[in-house]
Structure formats: C-alpha cells, structure tokens
C-alpha cells in the first residue's frame, strides 16, 4: 500500500480509511483564497455499502490500496452459495448469493468468466461480462404488421429476468442483454 497526499485523490481509487476500504465516487479539489487546498471526497465502503463525505487537506496522508483482479469461472450454485474456480490455480471459492447481489446472480451462466477483486486474499467485488446472451421463453405474440418502432413489449428470458424487447420478436429468439442495466441490446447471431 502506498501513502498519497489528500490532494491527489481521484474517483475510482480505493483508500483505506477509518479501518475500512472505500472506493472514491467523487472528488472535487478546492483551493480557497485563504488557507490550504483540500479535496472534498465522496466514497462508498466496499464491504458495507455505507457512504462517506470527508475533507482531506493537501498535507493529509491516506493509504491507497490496489486490489488484485483475478479471473474466475462460474461453476454452480450450492444452496445460498455460488462456486467459482480460479482459472490459474483451479482452486474453488464460494461466495454468498446476497453478497454477489440477486440482480447479478440471474445473469450467471455455467463456465462464465467473471473478475473478482481481492484484497489480502479476501473477495471485495465481482464484475460480470458487460453483455450476456439469453433466450426469450415467454412474451406476447407478434402482431402482424408491427414494425420495429420505439414501443417495446415485455418478455421473460430463460434466466427468469423480465426484459423489454422489440415488438416483432417472439419466443425462442436469442437476444443480447446488458448486465448492468438489464436492457435489451440487440438480437444475437
């Protein structure tokens, strides 16, 4: 870990502060006419999700943490846990579903490559691929003469997620979905 000055804090950095790990979401640097420069920092705790608003003077020293990013493959679900395998060492790691997040668990597919951020061999964050391919299993029937207008219709994908798709698409269509927004991107080849 490296100590950095308070005036060098930027969004995206991970800091160790008050015995916790914080990711900086906003940082505005202020240089008043009188007194020393400082940074107003908004951060989010990586473990608890709590938010922090802190003012760091330019002479304050803070610990900057670098997280190790490892590639893992998703293997299977085991009760309330999800099992992942390290692609280099073949070691298996279990993560709780509620830690991963119910909205992201639905997008996990067998063998999917994910990135797990680690700090001192402890998982801190999980990143899914930007997009996944799903199949439409339930939707309203296609109305003859309906075109690809801006109106979308509800559908349910094979992972159980509700999604809005173009009106001309039907059951059995393979679609690409954005894992961060849960929105339809395009038809899969």
């Amino acid at each position: 870990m490296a100590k950095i000055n308070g005036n060098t804090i930027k969004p995206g950095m991970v800091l160790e502060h008050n015995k916790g790990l914080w990711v900086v979401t906003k940082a505005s640097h202020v240089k008043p006419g009188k007194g020393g420069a400082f940074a107003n920092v908004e951060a989010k705790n990586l473990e608890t999700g709590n938010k922090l608003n802190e003012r760091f003077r330019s002479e304050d020293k803070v610990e900057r943490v670098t997280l190790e990013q490892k590639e893992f493959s998703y293997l299977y679900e085991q009760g309330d846990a999800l099992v992942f395998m390290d692609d280099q060492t073949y070691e298996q790691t279990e993560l709780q579903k509620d830690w991963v997040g119910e909205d992201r668990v639905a997008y996990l597919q067998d063998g999917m490559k994910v990135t797990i951020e680690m700090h001192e061999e402890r998982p801190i964050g999980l990143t899914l691929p930007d997009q996944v391919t799903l199949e439409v299993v339930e939707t309203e029937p296609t109305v003859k003469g309906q075109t690809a207008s801006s109106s979308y219709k509800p559908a349910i994908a094979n992972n159980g997620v509700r999604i809005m798709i173009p009106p001309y698409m039907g059951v059995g269509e393979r679609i690409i979905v954005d894992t961060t927004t849960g929105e339809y991107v395009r038809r899969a080849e």
Side-chain angles (χ1 to χ4, degrees), residues 85-160:
M85 180 182 69
D86 186 326
D87 290 345
Q88 264 73 53
T89 63
Y90 302 111
E91 288 181 30
Q92 292 185 3
T93 301
E94 285 188 14
L95 300 175
Q96 294 301 308
K97 279 186 191 175
D98 58 349
W99 183 84
V100 173
E102 218 42 60
D103 54 332
R104 298 189 311 168
V105 169
Y107 293 112
L108 288 172
Q109 299 170 352
D110 290 346
M112 177 184 273
K113 302 280 186 220
V114 299
T115 303
I116 298 179
E117 291 181 316
M118 313 278 273
H119 175 63
E120 296 174 353
E121 297 301 314
R122 196 174 87 235
I124 297 295
L126 179 132
T127 308
L128 294 175
D130 294 338
Q131 300 175 340
V132 293
T133 303
L134 301 173
E135 187 177 324
V136 177
V137 293
E138 187 182 314
T139 188
E140 300 164 2
T142 304
V143 177
K144 192 175 169 107
Q146 209 165 20
T147 60
S149 65
S150 61
S151 64
Y152 281 64
K153 65 180 182 178
I156 298 176
N158 59 341
N159 63 350

Side-chain angles (χ1 to χ4, degrees), residues 24-74:
V24 178
T25 52
K26 281 185 188 170
S28 60
H29 298 278
V30 180
K31 185 157 177 38
K34 193 173 183 183
F38 60 88
N40 281 327
V41 175
E42 283 183 32
K44 182 178 173 189
N45 190 300
L46 287 172
E47 282 122 5
T48 64
N50 292 344
K51 295 199 185 234
L52 166 84
N53 285 323
E54 191 85 30
R55 180 179 281 188
F56 292 99
R57 296 176 314 183
S58 57
E59 56 270 7
D60 289 344
K61 298 280 188 193
V62 287
E63 289 281 341
R64 181 174 180 191
V65 179
T66 49
L67 300 178
E68 182 183 357
Q69 294 190 332
K70 287 186 173 181
E71 282 274 311
F72 281 79
S73 295
Y74 172 66

